[in-house]
Amino acid sequence: MQHALPDHLTGTLLEGRYELGPRIARGGTATVYRAVDTRLQRVVAVKLMHPHLAEDPTAADRFVREARAAARLSHPHVVSVLDQGHAPDGVPYLVMEHVAGSTLRDVLRRRGALPPGEALALLDPVLDGLAAAHRAGLVHRDVKPENVLISGTGRVTVADFGLTRAVDQHTATATVLGTVGYASPELVTGQRVDTRADVYSAGIVLFELLAGRRPFEGGPLAVARAHAEGAVPDLRTLDPGLPAGPARLVARATARDPQRRPPDAGSFLEELRAVRSGLRPAELARLPPPGSVRGGPPAPPRDSGATTALDPAGAPTAALGAEAAPTEALGPAAPTEALGPAAVRTEAPRPRSTPTEIRRPPGPGFPAASGRPLPARRPGGSSDPWRPEVELRPTRPLHAAGTLALVALAVAGAAFLGWLLGSGPGGTVSVPDVRGAGPELAEQYLAGAGLGNVAVHETADPVAPAGTVLGTDPRAGATARTAEQVVLLVSAGPERTTAPDVSGMPEQDARARLEEAGLTVGSRTPVPDDAAPGTVVGQHPEAGHAMAEGSAVELAVSGGARADSAPGVLGRPVDEAVRVLAEAGYPARVEESLGAPFGYVVAQTTDGAEVVLTVV
């Protein structure tokens, strides 16, 4: 479910039209706010790029270009882009359709694995929306459950085309911009990607819907290696009772070789509907076994050739730069044969034989206690039934080759371990102290120390200005591995609250109500009013205004009805005279005579509703 939280931008009006409400999401490139289009009086979602990213002209131009590309889509299963503009500080934003409801990730957290019928029904509109994007020449590049929105009426839409690129704009890159847990092998290894990358990600989503967890677990680097070098596990090895159709569908969509996948989301959708129509009602409604709801076996060792299931919660979104892994770790792998439409029969590997000695059983002519082995079979053969027909001992050349292979593997493993614990992601550095800096400068300091995996977490702080780094996790001075994620704790300013309406309350009740809202009482001004004395008759700021916690609200308190005539204040000090008149409900205007060296009232006249005091 989307949780709305006010922050320092709540209440901001963009270009005189879009009034920002509470924050509903924050990602790696932008923050999303629920907002009101004041011109059309409708609720929308405004996606505002992070200011430190907007300072890069290339990133800002790409944000605008991709927003315009996404706006070309008009489909019931794609979140519509309605408008685009720039905030007063130049930060670009885009306005999207607001979908009130939950995400597919919420469904997975709540229910775990789903029956095949529900899983296929949920993926159907997702593929329908992606197919519209593919027909328009766009690739989403970040298909995951968090980007699948489900409205209160059950409408399913694909959101966040922020990583979208036109197919002809794709180039090889060493940076993974999507979520690693759902990234295709070609995206992980920096190769050119096309619509088949979205097909792979959608296949991983279907795997998670059927198994309750993703196929690979571990840190971002380990998961990226698994996608690049391993094969997605067969779902039927995890759940033997699963119908063969959905398992084959997942295997085809997640083939490591893009040529073996459906060419685009439209083709994948046709295959999904064919599989769904071929399942019996009992197969569609089959409940997953209890063990497939959550959890999974531990991650394999770093240098293990095997890949295992499964990460229940999912690894966080991470960007893998060129320095995140050695070239050989994420290089292109040999194509993997995927399961076809028909079941593939494979022969179980035979266990390797070990040297065996054949002994004769005791009996006539066979000394029971000798225990001596029979000699090897002669070339001419023998009719002795106790002689082996073939030699089971491995020949010397094979033995030598095996030894050399083991030595080569040991040397390679030692070299890899040296790199891992030295300059590779296994190396350690000290976390620098970046408190007080801005997020962008802090990231530069961390990158200079060898820590390139940085995330930003905003937290309220009553003292530090918004955008100031409060600290890091791990803390400054701690030892961290170069591949480890460092979290920047950034101040979002004080907590925001809304001024309550205290007009008409007795002063003491108004004070208590303001304190409950986290506010204090500022100046108290008595004013003449027909309300009972001590009743609050006005406040500043007005009710409903967003304020920082701890801020003061000024109160105007009734001093009772104004007297029929102004009290006399002749001979009093001017400050006292003005106060007495104000309490009686008469504003005063002071006129100084001879520079007013003494500050006493020597004359008092009434000019309409105002009292004029002459002071010397």
Side-chain angles (χ1 to χ4, degrees):
M1 190 69 68
Q2 295 176 333
H3 299 284
L5 298 172
D7 67 8
H8 64 286
L9 290 180
T10 298
T12 303
L13 189 65
L14 298 179
E15 297 185 311
R17 178 172 183 178
Y18 302 107
E19 183 177 359
L20 299 184
R23 184 182 71 234
I24 57 178
R26 179 182 172 89
T29 59
T31 303
V32 181
Y33 295 85
R34 188 168 64 232
V36 175
D37 180 349
T38 58
R39 186 178 301 171
L40 299 179
Q41 289 300 308
R42 62 177 176 180
V43 177
V44 295
V46 172
K47 185 173 184 179
L48 196 65
M49 192 175 188
H50 294 328
H52 68 280
L53 295 178
E55 294 176 2
D56 180 1
T58 302
D61 290 345
R62 185 178 65 192
F63 184 89
V64 173
R65 183 174 63 250
E66 292 168 0
R68 291 172 179 169
R72 288 163 30 199
L73 294 177
S74 178
H75 192 273
H77 297 306
V78 174
V79 174
S80 301
V81 176
L82 307 175
D83 197 3
Q84 181 270 326
H86 289 81
D89 56 358
V91 174
Y93 70 88
L94 61 90
V95 182
M96 303 177 295
E97 167 193 10
H98 179 263
V99 180
S102 60
T103 67
L104 187 55
R105 173 63 63 203
D106 297 321
V107 175
L108 284 165
R109 288 196 186 104
R110 188 168 59 249
R111 298 185 55 191
L114 303 178
E118 290 187 48
L120 297 174
L122 277 171
L123 194 63
D124 187 298
V126 174
L127 293 177
D128 199 9
L130 289 175
H134 292 176
R135 287 192 297 270
L138 302 176
V139 181
H140 189 286
R141 300 192 355 147
D142 197 21
V143 179
K144 58 183 178 181
E146 288 82 353
N147 285 337
V148 177
L149 308 184
I150 305 174
S151 70
T153 60
R155 174 185 167 222
V156 178
T157 52
V158 182
D160 197 1
F161 277 72
L163 297 179
T164 300
R165 291 275 188 91
V167 173
D168 56 4
Q169 292 175 344
H170 282 223
T171 56
T173 175
T175 302
V176 178
L177 292 178
T179 303
V180 177
Y182 302 86
S184 64
E186 58 269 27
L187 185 61
V188 168
T189 55
Q191 302 177 53
R192 183 183 180 89
V193 298
D194 55 19
T195 54
R196 292 168 295 186
D198 286 348
V199 170
Y200 183 97
S201 301
I204 298 295
V205 172
L206 181 56
F207 185 108
E208 189 172 7
L209 289 173
L210 293 169
R213 52 195 186 234
R214 297 189 314 201
F216 306 121
E217 71 165 3
L221 183 59
V223 173
R225 282 184 53 128
H227 281 293
E229 301 175 358
V232 173
D234 184 353
L235 273 171
R236 301 192 78 186
T237 63
L238 306 175
D239 181 7
L242 182 72
R248 288 197 300 267
L249 191 67
V250 170
R252 176 160 160 73
T254 58
R256 187 167 54 182
D257 182 1
Q259 298 293 335
R260 298 184 181 276
R261 302 177 207 150
D264 53 34
S267 301
F268 188 14
L269 179 60
E270 292 178 3
E271 295 185 20
L272 180 144
R273 289 174 175 172
V275 168
R276 186 180 177 191
S277 63
L279 294 177
R280 299 188 300 273
E283 292 177 321
L284 290 170
R286 177 188 175 274
L287 294 176
S292 65
V293 176
R294 286 179 177 85
R302 164 77 177 154
D303 55 351
S304 171
T307 54
T308 59
L310 300 152
D311 183 9
T317 300
L320 296 182
E323 70 283 3
T327 303
E328 61 270 25
L330 297 181
T336 301
E337 187 73 19
L339 291 178
V344 177
R345 184 180 301 275
T346 58
E347 184 178 353
R350 297 180 180 176
R352 183 178 177 180
S353 300
T354 56
T356 306
E357 292 181 341
I358 305 298
R359 299 180 181 272
R360 293 180 184 273
F366 298 91
S370 67
R372 289 177 296 176
L374 290 171
R377 183 186 181 197
R378 295 182 178 88
S382 172
S383 60
D384 189 341
W386 297 100
R387 291 283 183 94
E389 288 295 319
V390 294
E391 178 70 44
L392 298 182
R393 294 184 181 88
T395 60
R396 292 182 182 274
L398 291 178
H399 183 273
T403 302
L404 288 175
L406 290 175
V407 171
L409 285 175
V411 171
F416 176 77
L417 186 62
W419 168 84
L420 179 66
L421 299 179
S423 60
T428 58
V429 296
S430 178
V431 179
D433 189 353
V434 294
R435 289 174 296 179
E440 183 178 5
L441 184 60
E443 289 188 34
Q444 293 177 7
Y445 281 135
L446 292 171
L451 298 167
N453 187 1
V454 180
V456 177
H457 175 71
E458 286 189 344
T459 181
D461 189 275
V463 178
T468 303
V469 175
L470 304 174
T472 57
D473 183 17
R475 65 182 183 278
T479 300
R481 298 192 180 277
T482 55
E484 183 177 350
Q485 185 177 78
V486 176
V487 179
L488 283 178
L489 305 176
V490 179
S491 171
E495 290 282 1
R496 307 288 291 183
T497 186
T498 302
D501 186 0
V502 295
S503 297
M505 293 184 179
E507 185 176 357
Q508 289 301 113
D509 293 347
R511 286 179 178 272
R513 180 69 184 87
L514 290 172
E515 290 174 358
E516 289 176 2
L519 301 171
T520 61
V521 176
S523 62
R524 175 189 180 278
T525 304
V527 296
D529 194 271
D530 291 338
T535 302
V536 176
V537 294
Q539 66 181 84
H540 180 76
E542 298 179 352
H545 185 79
M547 306 175 63
E549 282 193 0
S551 299
V553 177
E554 300 175 358
L555 299 180
V557 182
S558 172
R562 189 171 73 170
D564 293 335
S565 60
V569 293
L570 291 175
R572 295 191 181 190
V574 62
D575 293 340
E576 179 183 344
V578 171
R579 179 180 56 79
V580 170
L581 290 171
E583 290 177 352
Y586 287 89
R589 176 164 56 89
V590 177
E591 293 182 351
E592 297 180 348
S593 177
L594 304 176
F598 303 105
Y600 285 90
V601 178
V602 296
Q604 171 182 348
T605 58
T606 301
D607 184 7
E610 186 179 55
V611 177
V612 181
L613 303 178
T614 303
V615 180
V616 297

